[in-house]
Amino acid sequence: MDIYAKLDPQRFPNVSLPMAAILGFVLERQFTTPVLADVQVTPDGHVLGWPSEEEGVGHSMHLGVAADLRANLSRPGMAAGLDQEEWTRFAAIVRSRLGIELGELTGEGGS
């Protein structure tokens, strides 16, 4: 199973709809409707998202704060049992897409 399948929000029944949408944005997958076309972390640490143009909604949505997002992105990675290589890849994707550093994998990873 690749990291995209491991991190699919359907595997985690307690993942909120906004978090599933953010994961979809990060992984470039459609997990929700609407799909987030963009997610930005503001200089003051707020997380804003914009739905895709196909959804016909042009305004931003406040999705939370960066500190919570960092923690919330780490949880599925740990729950999915990502090994060190997969975690490093996921952290690089998050850094590239959101500019957020996840830090090191804690606990035991597995496949």
Side-chain angles (χ1 to χ4, degrees), residues 26-97:
V26 168
L27 298 174
E28 299 181 83
R29 300 288 192 270
Q30 181 172 350
F31 296 134
T32 61
T33 302
V35 173
L36 291 174
D38 193 19
V39 176
Q40 296 288 321
V41 178
T42 66
D44 61 349
H46 291 272
V47 181
L48 302 176
W50 287 264
S52 67
E53 290 181 20
E54 292 83 29
E55 303 300 328
V57 181
H59 58 85
S60 64
M61 299 177 286
H62 185 265
L63 299 172
V65 295
D68 291 342
L69 181 57
R70 182 178 297 107
N72 289 334
L73 283 169
S74 296
R75 287 183 188 106
M78 290 184 280
L82 298 184
D83 62 27
Q84 187 62 54
E85 181 180 326
E86 292 166 331
W87 178 264
T88 300
R89 184 171 174 211
F90 178 54
I93 293 169
V94 169
R95 183 180 325 105
S96 170
R97 300 284 287 162

